[in-house]
């Protein structure tokens, strides 16, 4: 029973079908019929004109954006536990040509306008200190908390005032929207977001993520950067087809709801152990080494997070009997 | 009838089957059972211990290698028509941190030891001029010529004498080996090659290329660089599975033979028009604008190469009746 | 008798005096009274409002400009013998984050609008090929030829039409202006130049060059880049003072005239040997190995340029008896 | 009365004399007689064979070193208040190609082996997290504390165990050595230091710093990087001459002693206000806004450090009557 990461789950059968169905010759790169439908599909979803590019990983989606939003000599404000800081092997430094991540703290990897403002205020406005050029948040956060649209909007307003571009790492945006009920538009561009890494791989996709540009004028530059970073697949249709399959009939939202529901079931089984509220599909729990061992002896696979802490992540395809068994195991600790 | 590029052909059905078959949860990134079989599979193929990493594009395969072989302040000797110079959007500069491509000329995009030596000799050995650190060749070349193993070995010996690392862009290595009959080992590491971009996408794969490291000590660094460049797919099993499917029963070699045979058929139809010998699966032909228009009116799709020149590329799945029709059209011009 | 390079000549005594005179505490970096006078001094000289930054080398001046004018994924068109291509150790790649130099040929390291246009036309307008973003010329060229203001203007007009920024490497701009009699304004911004590396080190300075920004909005970014590249000296007054001393009473122009006059004297001594017209202060001559040895035996120091070719460079402080002796030696070969 | 920064003080008269004395033609770059004496002079000072390169700023000295010690994908452990983190405009990211500064805390900007070990232990050993490759400390620290040789050695031993290269930012190493009485050798290579930025500009120099390589095999690479970064001055003799003048008769040590003595006089005048022990030539004091204003009204120039904190820095040429007046003013607050 794998609760290790949604990262490693299987792809949805419709995604595999879509790959097979797109397996015929068409124009190379992103000139094919599937890729050419992406802009329209996402413009509909977001209720505004956007440009959408497929990429194969969230790291690439995040860092291609950041490179377009922040000059090599600028800074990107993010949480100290943000994925771009902690788990991307320094990719932001590589893609931007050496921009600096300016780290801000806050519970549950969530940023507040106050914390961001304070970070900006600590920086002297001279050539000796790196000046902030962009703000990046993750929704849902790395600890499974969600920003409501109004919270994103407060950060967006601050970004506007401070002259910062605003990037949203939405590796689990689907889970966040399934949790809050906010519309895609409200949680992004209406809240001031400029670019979005819209995650599909953790939510039923195989290896396709979407990079959504609400500032459409960035698309040409980012398309060049995508090629230059070796991310322009020659048979891009297979990436576009995956995304279109997940957009079809809001399958992406159904998948996220399923994962969230499984997480709620686990959270309710062990309310006293929760380290953070469970807003999306990640559950962080207190558990001693002995308790962790006991869970593992029951065939449950998860991540040791820190001393006395464990992380479980639920996926779109988590089977209910597995969820029940894990919930029972947690209750019984 | 598409003779535009092997780049855009369909994937082999076994590749699609392999993707579907690998679609179940396993360890993320490259810890899964398929990815862990790559080192062994390629060590068998190359008759020596190698390390093999999947990547999704040839540009990534080439440039991850080059970044490990050449410091930011070094130079990479390559042909002036090499893919890394002409068609990768400056990716070598991005991945290496600004290394310089030192361009050498020669017919058919093929390098000779004499031309490489002369290029080295033109460089003053001081801090003002960029010193060469690596040599990169493409086999088959961008004009469809192949290097025989002995020719590679002559360049490999020169690289050794000059202290240059040796990279082989093998986007169409399969076609080259199918053409020469050389063994994979003879055409690579026995000829002094350090790292190889082994192409599968143009030869029946969907979006998986293999980066083969004959200097196995480079693997750890390149694995880090792969992550840092956003190329570490979380469900890497789908990439490994493609490659394994093509290695199985030498399917890769059958595919390349089929593409080469189609190219030979076309070459024989218009021997007087050939701009280069047809060693692999690319055919460069003299054709006036009128003649090109005539071919297109027959439903043949191809690339205008230069003034009065066209390029046709054959794929693994080129149907024989299409080849016959195109051959007839060429004869009839 | 050193005719090796103006690079290595002594500084003018007034420059040393100026350094000594500025040797008292003042605001650090470029906040001191000397540095703050630069914008005004150069705005007067160029008859328009400019921003002027000191740097210590021509390589830094060139590459700080180019990094502001060309994105990492862009190209810079220059002559294949340009200093930025041949003699700066790949610095443009370092400062720009991997931009590509797009090389153009032409006699005497001089570019023509036709050659630049042809280079642009060879580039496909897609994401696979690096698109040109800037044009860089050197005046006087690396072979001692000068562009007249009208020639610069023709290139400037082309740059405007093609959407290219226009950079001028003026390591020997003083010699060029002394040669043509063009005004600083006519030879630069009125001809479409955006940024200028104005050389002083080869012309009586010690280690101060001026980076002149006709597009004044670039100054803030370049000031940050200067710091980030370790080029913001804390006692910048000593650099500004050198430049101001050379501007005073047009000492820079007197120095250049003296160097040019010495070069003319040598050119007239051996008109049949000249490889290029001598417009400024460099003389390229045919000379066999025996002849070169004969000159050296007379105590004349110079550079072997190629097979059967030598280079002599005259400096602002070349003594006339030395010039006479070298002229006699050349005549007597 | 300027107690703003030693950065902005005048150069020692012998330095100006040395510049004037070296103002004659010689081989360009670092081939001149002064530059060629540096290796020997510093090998004598450090009692071991070293390679020594002049550069014009401390930022360049630090970052050229770090680029040679840490790959683009590596991390450099330093204090969160280190100059390379706080005051170099992101230069480490630029020079290294995007390496990450891994920040460690500790009072007075001083690192301990325990804190460095803990930082290393927090990093998972996988490709997702940036692995540390180097350790960098500043002596004297940014808050004027010094490391004794034994403290450096403890960090050096840790670096050795952890496989980290060890860099010392010695912008004020002279002040540190003058304070501890440690020998240059004991405080550096005998304590495990690999490369040293030896500061002269803050200690009587004009614009020359020395980059000392105890691992001499790094010299060739760093010499190339120096050129590539635009830091290879063509008349380098004027930089070497400054350094040689300050080494002559241990003038550098006399200068540092004078600055330290002035700092001690100020520290003794206000012992209750000291925020940190005064080991070298920087004094950090509690002072309310009113008190700061009172000091300024007496003509004393200094830096507001934080809320209710000020910084005074003494220089080699601080006149004793000025020191006495400031000491009196501090006592009288």
């Amino acid at each position: 029973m794998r609760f290790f990461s949604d990262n490693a789950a299987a792809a949805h059968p419709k995604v595999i079908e879509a790959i097979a169905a797109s397996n015929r010759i068409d124009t190379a790169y992103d000139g094919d019929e599937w890729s050419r439908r992406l802009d329209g599909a996402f413009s509909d979803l977001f209720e505004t004109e956007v440009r959408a590019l497929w990429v194969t990983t969230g790291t690439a989606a995040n860092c291609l954006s950041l490179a377009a939003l922040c000059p090599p000599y600028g800074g990107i404000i993010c949480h100290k536990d943000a994925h771009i800081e902690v788990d991307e092997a320094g990719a932001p430094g590589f893609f931007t040509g050496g921009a600096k991540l300016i780290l801000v703290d806050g519970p549950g990897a969530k940023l507040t306008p106050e914390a961001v403002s304070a970070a900006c205020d600590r920086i002297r406005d001279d050539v000796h200190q790196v000046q902030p050029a962009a703000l990046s948040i993750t929704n849902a956060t790395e600890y499974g908390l969600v920003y409501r649209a109004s919270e994103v909007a407060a950060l967006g307003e601050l970004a506007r005032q401070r002259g910062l571009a605003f990037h949203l790492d939405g590796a689990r945006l689907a889970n966040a929207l399934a949790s809050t009920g906010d519309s895609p538009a409200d949680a992004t561009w209406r809240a001031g977001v400029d670019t979005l890494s819209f995650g599909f791989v953790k939510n039923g996709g195989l290896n396709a993520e979407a990079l959504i540009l609400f500032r459409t004028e960035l698309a040409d530059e980012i398309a060049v950067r995508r090629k230059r970073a070796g991310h322009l697949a020659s048979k891009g249709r297979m990436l576009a087809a995956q995304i279109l399959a997940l957009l079809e009939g809001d399958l992406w939202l159904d998948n996220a709801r399923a994962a969230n529901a499984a997480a709620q079931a686990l959270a309710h089984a062990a309310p006293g152990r929760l380290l953070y509220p469970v807003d999306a599909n990640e559950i962080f729990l207190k558990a001693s080494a002995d308790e962790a061992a006991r869970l593992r002896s029951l065939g449950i696979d998860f991540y040791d997070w820190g001393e006395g802490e464990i992380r479980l992540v639920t996926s779109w395809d988590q089977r209910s009997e597995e969820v029940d068994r894990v919930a029972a195991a947690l209750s019984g600790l």
Side-chain angles (χ1 to χ4, degrees), chain A:
Chain A
M1 293 179 293
R2 306 200 73 160
F3 290 81
F4 200 81
S5 178
D6 41 3
N7 228 5
H12 194 282
K14 292 203 172 169
V15 163
I16 302 295
E17 284 165 29
I19 290 173
S22 73
N23 187 34
R24 54 174 172 75
I25 196 167
D26 196 335
T27 306
Y29 306 111
D30 57 359
D32 61 276
E33 64 162 274
W34 294 269
S35 298
R36 279 182 287 121
R37 285 167 51 199
L38 284 190
D39 285 352
F42 281 105
S43 294
D44 289 348
L45 182 68
F46 284 100
E47 306 170 53
T48 189
E49 194 201 341
V50 306
R51 291 287 304 275
L53 286 78
W54 42 252
V55 289
T56 53
T57 66
T59 294
N62 286 336
C63 295
L64 287 169
S65 264
L66 293 173
L69 297 179
C70 180
Y73 50 84
I76 299 158
I77 298 176
C78 67
H79 194 279
K80 75 174 181 49
D81 296 325
H83 199 264
I84 56 172
E85 161 66 11
V86 173
D87 276 306
E88 299 191 353
F94 176 53
F95 279 80
T96 61
K100 179 177 176 170
L101 299 186
I102 299 170
L103 305 181
V104 176
D105 207 348
K110 218 169 151 178
L111 292 182
T112 61
E114 294 68 34
V116 173
S117 273
C120 290
D121 290 341
R122 274 193 296 273
I123 297 168
R124 290 193 322 266
D125 182 16
D126 64 27
V127 300
H128 302 268
Q129 300 209 322
V130 175
Q131 303 301 309
L135 170 65
S136 176
I137 65 169
T138 310
N139 195 18
T141 76
E142 288 75 7
Y143 286 101
L145 274 64
V146 305
Y147 291 90
R148 300 198 60 87
S150 57
E151 294 173 296
V152 179
L155 287 161
E157 175 57 20
L158 175 65
R160 200 190 54 74
Q161 289 167 9
R162 296 277 187 168
L164 305 175
F166 192 11
H167 167 253
L168 174 52
D169 177 353
R172 294 188 181 95
L173 181 65
N175 301 287
L177 297 180
S179 172
T180 60
D182 289 324
S183 79
D186 286 345
T188 58
W189 65 273
R190 283 198 194 118
V193 170
D194 294 310
T195 66
L196 162 68
S197 303
F198 197 158
F200 288 89
V201 171
K202 290 178 162 74
N203 190 34
L206 191 47
N207 69 340
E209 308 281 58
L211 177 43
I212 310 296
L213 308 174
F214 301 111
R215 286 171 49 192
T216 53
E217 76 279 9
L218 296 172
D220 288 349
E221 172 182 339
I222 292 181
V224 172
R225 289 185 181 273
R226 178 174 63 171
K227 169 64 196 174
R228 175 172 161 85
H231 282 285
L232 184 62
S234 54
K235 303 180 185 178
R237 54 190 180 264
M238 71 86 74
L239 299 166
Q242 293 180 51
I243 295 170
L244 293 170
L246 287 162
L247 290 180
E248 177 92 22
D250 284 343
L251 179 56
W252 65 280
L253 207 46
D254 293 341
N255 283 353
R257 284 179 184 133
N260 285 5
Q264 285 303 315
L266 300 187
H268 289 140
R273 294 181 175 274
L274 296 181
L275 292 160
Y276 300 100
V278 175
D279 289 346
N281 65 325
E282 296 188 288
I283 306 103
F284 292 82
L285 298 162
K286 278 172 279 189
S288 66
D290 276 358
E291 292 169 331
R294 196 135 29 109
L295 293 173
R296 286 204 172 89
S297 73
L298 298 170
I300 308 172
D301 188 22
F302 53 86
Y303 202 89
D304 287 319
W305 197 251
E307 186 74 20
E309 302 178 2
I310 64 173
R311 184 188 82 168
L312 284 77
V313 186
T314 54
S315 300
W316 68 273
D317 64 348
Q318 219 76 56
R319 290 185 303 153
S320 58
E321 65 266 30
E322 283 191 0
V323 174
D324 294 345
R325 282 167 60 194
V326 176
L330 290 174
S331 301
L333 279 181

